[in-house]
Amino acid sequence: MTAIDPRQLSIHDFTYALPPERIAPEPLPDRAASRLLVSRHGQLADKHFRDLPGELPPGALLIFNDTRVVRARLLVRRPTGGQVELFCLEPVAPHRSLELALQQTGHCTWRCLVGNGRRWKAGPVTLEFTTSEGQTATLTAERQAQEAGTAFIHFRWAPAGLPFAEVLRAAGHLPLPPYIDRPDTATDALRYQTVYAAAEGAVAAPTAGLHFTPELLAELAERGFATGHVTLHVGAGTFQPVKADHMAEHPMHTEPIIVTAALLRQLLAHGPRPLVAVGTTSLRTLETLYWLGVGLLVPRPNAAEHPTTELLVTQWQPYEQAEAAAQIDAAQALTTLLRHLEAAGTDTLEARTQLLIAPGYRFRVINGLITNFHQPESTLLLLVAALLGPGWRAAYDHALAYGYRFLSYGDSSLLLP
């Protein structure tokens, strides 16, 4: 067990006063013009994001999350004309796999958040839209059941040959964070995506990556910095407030990750040189890889009683297995995971992570982090506190005192503990 048990932490110890006017409502015209607070061994320096190549550790490998935000908010109409908002969270049937669910044609069922749902008593709600090819189409939604504040919504649409991904692209809206209280715009359609976004499935952007431009990526390559990509489809749980006084009572959300065998080999070949995660989602994915490897080497207690083929890192696994993992380094864990894929005859790892990183966590894979400034009393702020230690407060006090912009469309930081 670590010296600090994160389950005993009070979330109220990880707060600060964030004036509403410091929350950036819009992106800057130039992605790379955002400011960059560099925290290197506790020393703070004010830079701009375009200065990043000169601030990174020599020989660093940068890992990006290439998820792409889907237009997951659907504004449908009741028969009486009133509007209902359906926020698609995760597929339920006929596929639970996100990739397959987005390619499903004709009908599907998703777990959704429902806005203005009290006025939706019964029966279907509908939405007419125009496809990318100019066809008139109709989407019908029916509520099947409710569970834990969400609803199972069955969708049908015509023409039935459209994949659900096209339905969302044509009929949906970008799910901007709840603290950006305005409709999404054409600017958001471009700027609430990273320039390297590829794999559709997120309902929130991996915002650390929003600052990168093609020119900046080219400069990184010219300076000899290697890059790699993982996929974590960011869920709405990233905005889930911590309502419990102590973290032991907070259920961490679960998100799907996809990593290739080639990426595992790249991490192993990079060896002990610095590895910098671009965003908290990339960081959680990389640290999850370590614990997946540990889980294959050291089965968790009671694993035999609950056999499963699913690869999953649970919320408290790192803290429960800390002693068992003490002699397992990152190379051994990643090699074990790679051999597992090879034995299964696949070059793609699909897993889920519920990993909660908080003070008391020992980082096994990453050496640094590029990230925006996060909400008070959030799990993302806990992650930053785990990386910087008590110095997180000095960094946030500095950012507040020197005019940095906060949250998704705000400024960035490079954290090198």
Side-chain angles (χ1 to χ4, degrees):
M1 187 63 66
T2 54
I4 299 175
D5 184 349
R7 286 167 285 200
Q8 303 308 315
L9 292 174
S10 169
I11 192 62
H12 305 305
D13 292 333
F14 298 89
T15 192
Y16 64 94
L18 177 59
E21 64 270 18
R22 301 302 295 278
I23 299 173
E26 308 277 352
L28 295 177
D30 176 6
R31 291 177 186 262
S34 56
R35 299 178 69 190
L36 179 71
L37 178 60
V38 180
S39 174
R40 182 181 282 105
H41 311 308
Q43 300 299 310
L44 302 176
D46 298 308
K47 303 288 182 177
H48 285 89
F49 202 81
R50 60 171 54 93
D51 301 323
L52 178 68
E55 299 299 324
L56 290 167
L61 167 63
L62 277 69
I63 300 296
F64 298 83
N65 181 5
D66 66 3
T67 188
R68 185 173 186 83
V69 183
V70 295
R71 301 172 72 88
R73 290 176 59 243
L74 294 163
L75 305 179
V76 294
R77 292 286 176 186
R78 306 194 314 272
T80 57
Q83 183 173 275
V84 174
E85 178 181 333
L86 302 177
F87 187 173
C88 298
L89 298 178
E90 61 180 1
V92 175
H95 307 290
R96 298 190 70 90
S97 162
L98 192 58
E99 181 178 348
L100 293 175
L102 289 172
Q103 295 308 310
Q104 173 67 21
T105 57
H107 68 96
C108 61
T109 301
W110 281 62
R111 182 192 296 273
C112 299
L113 291 172
V114 180
N116 201 26
R118 290 183 179 179
R119 296 181 178 272
W120 181 17
K121 301 301 182 184
V125 291
T126 59
L127 171 65
E128 290 192 355
F129 62 98
T130 302
T131 70
S132 57
E133 296 181 352
Q135 288 179 293
T136 299
T138 303
L139 174 70
T140 301
E142 292 190 74
R143 183 164 47 192
Q144 294 185 325
Q146 299 206 181
E147 180 182 289
T150 61
F152 293 103
I153 305 295
H154 184 67
F155 295 103
R156 288 188 177 276
W157 57 92
L162 294 174
F164 193 56
E166 171 61 19
V167 173
L168 292 178
R169 276 193 289 268
H173 294 262
L174 276 177
L176 294 177
Y179 46 75
I180 297 180
D181 187 18
R182 59 172 176 79
D184 61 312
T185 66
T187 297
D188 296 311
L190 178 67
R191 296 297 305 279
Y192 199 59
Q193 303 279 11
T194 63
V195 296
Y196 48 82
E200 282 195 318
V203 298
T207 54
L210 297 180
H211 308 281
F212 285 87
T213 63
E215 295 77 15
L216 188 55
L217 291 171
E219 182 180 349
L220 289 169
E222 290 170 4
R223 292 197 182 204
F225 291 106
T227 59
H229 293 85
V230 297
T231 304
L232 182 148
H233 291 310
V234 191
T238 193
F239 302 119
Q240 178 183 338
V242 178
K243 297 179 180 178
D245 287 337
H246 291 89
M247 294 310 299
E249 284 79 47
H250 175 73
M252 188 67 176
H253 57 285
T254 304
E255 292 167 314
I257 65 170
I258 302 171
V259 174
T260 64
L263 187 278
L264 293 174
R265 295 188 186 99
Q266 183 181 17
L267 295 176
L268 287 165
H270 191 69
R273 288 171 290 173
L275 194 157
V276 176
V278 179
T280 58
T281 56
S282 297
L283 186 153
R284 287 182 68 232
T285 302
L286 292 167
E287 294 294 318
T288 290
L289 295 178
Y290 172 82
W291 290 105
L292 289 172
V294 169
L296 294 172
L297 288 166
V298 185
R300 300 184 67 198
N302 304 319
E305 299 175 16
H306 305 282
T308 177
T309 58
E310 181 183 39
L311 290 173
L312 167 69
V313 172
T314 58
Q315 180 167 343
W316 303 116
Q317 180 181 342
Y319 313 101
E320 294 168 349
Q321 286 196 300
E323 185 174 346
Q327 303 304 316
I328 301 174
D329 63 15
Q332 186 178 358
L334 295 176
T335 298
T336 300
L337 197 54
L338 181 59
R339 289 174 179 166
H340 174 81
L341 292 184
E342 292 169 346
T346 180
D347 61 1
T348 302
L349 167 72
E350 294 191 30
R352 296 193 304 143
T353 185
Q354 195 187 18
L355 177 61
L356 172 64
I357 296 178
Y361 181 84
R362 175 186 165 197
F363 291 89
R364 309 290 184 134
V365 179
I366 66 95
N367 307 103
L369 171 67
I370 297 168
T371 190
N372 286 14
F373 296 95
H374 304 294
Q375 288 180 291
E377 298 188 354
S378 65
T379 56
L380 300 179
L381 186 58
L382 283 177
L383 185 152
V384 170
L387 188 64
L388 293 185
W392 77 266
R393 191 172 293 279
Y396 272 63
D397 286 347
H398 181 97
L400 287 165
Y402 286 86
Y404 282 73
R405 302 161 75 243
F406 278 61
L407 306 187
S408 292
Y409 275 145
D411 293 318
S412 189
S413 62
L414 170 62
L415 310 180
L416 301 170

